[in-house]
């Protein structure tokens, strides 16, 4: 089955700087990689996703890159703002029905 | 888009008491449904998933059980709660592992 590792577990950046979170996966058949943001006490919500037929996807200040050969994908947040502070989870499919989530990264944006 | 209704939002239960958490889904049909548990400051642990009425797959053996009596209803139960059952329980809905998962608001369970 799929195994997803996520690093770092915590990340502090100055407001305006960039943040990068990386995940590795084990199943070469995986073809869909979402990123979720979870604010304190709230539910995870999808912020961006990428499918294996593309190498990069951008949505304003957020981008995701995928390296299928190395089996890793990364979340990039540019020009960070205090409201970006949250826990971010990556995920990958395990089989047809299950999502395997990474262990999460707590991002703190320091004003 | 899908809407996941999950209740209650918070719950305090004594050790040994029963549990029933309900999740209903709107805006989709034949969804795959999931129960996750999140301990404080931790990741998402998949407990159960269901691909159809009456079909339940258990991921972690423990004193919890799940049922799906209707297409868009998913119930998490326990006959006797343990202290270790405390956590944030999230119901999720999706159309397969290659599409977005939608989460409910979650139930924060404290077992005392």
């Amino acid at each position: 089955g799929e195994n997803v590792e996520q690093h770092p577990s915590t990340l502090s950046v100055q407001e305006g700087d960039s943040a990068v979170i990386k995940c590795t996966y084990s199943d070469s058949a995986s073809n869909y990689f979402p990123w979720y943001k979870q604010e304190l006490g709230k539910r995870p919500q999808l912020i961006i996703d990428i499918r294996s037929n593309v190498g990069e996807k951008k949505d304003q200040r957020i981008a995701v890159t995928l390296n299928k050969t190395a089996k890793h994908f990364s979340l990039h947040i540019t020009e960070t703002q205090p409201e970006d502070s949250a826990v971010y989870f990556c995920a990958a499919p395990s089989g047809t029905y299950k999502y395997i989530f990474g262990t999460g990264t707590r991002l703190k944006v320091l004003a | 888009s899908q809407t996941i209704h999950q209740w209650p939002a918070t719950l305090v239960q004594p050790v040994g008491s029963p549990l029933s958490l309900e999740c209903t889904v709107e805006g989709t049909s034949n969804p795959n449904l999931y129960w996750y548990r999140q301990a404080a400051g931790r990741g998402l642990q998949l407990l159960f998933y269901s691909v159809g009425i009456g079909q339940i797959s258990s991921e972690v053996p423990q004193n919890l059980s799940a049922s799906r009596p209707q297409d868009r209803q998913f119930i998490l139960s326990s006959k006797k709660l343990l202290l270790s059952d405390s956590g944030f329980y999230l119901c999720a809905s999706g159309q397969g592992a290659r599409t977005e998962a939608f989460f409910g608001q979650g139930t924060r369970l404290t077992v005392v």
Side-chain angles (χ1 to χ4, degrees), chain A residues 23-63:
Chain A
C23 284
T24 60
Y25 62 97
S26 60
D27 187 352
S28 57
S30 291
N31 59 4
Y32 174 68
F33 306 94
W35 284 93
Y36 291 82
K37 176 182 180 182
Q38 185 180 28
E39 296 179 353
L40 188 62
K42 298 190 176 180
R43 63 182 140 187
Q45 291 191 291
L46 183 77
I47 54 171
I48 195 168
D49 56 13
I50 191 168
R51 297 190 184 276
S52 58
N53 57 343
V54 297
E56 182 177 4
K57 183 176 178 181
K58 296 179 84 170
D59 182 3
Q60 300 182 351
R61 297 187 295 107
I62 294 173

Side-chain angles (χ1 to χ4, degrees), chain B residues 15-69:
Chain B
V15 169
S17 63
L19 172 73
S20 181
L21 301 181
E22 188 165 343
C23 169
T24 60
V25 181
E26 292 180 358
T28 187
S29 58
N30 303 315
N32 298 321
L33 298 175
Y34 307 83
W35 278 111
Y36 288 90
R37 178 170 61 199
Q38 188 174 31
R42 306 295 293 274
L44 298 163
Q45 179 187 32
L46 178 63
L47 302 175
F48 301 95
Y49 70 95
S50 172
V51 301
I53 296 173
Q55 300 179 62
I56 307 295
S57 296
S58 175
E59 290 295 297
V60 183
Q62 54 202 327
N63 68 319
L64 299 172
S65 62
S67 62
R68 185 170 178 176

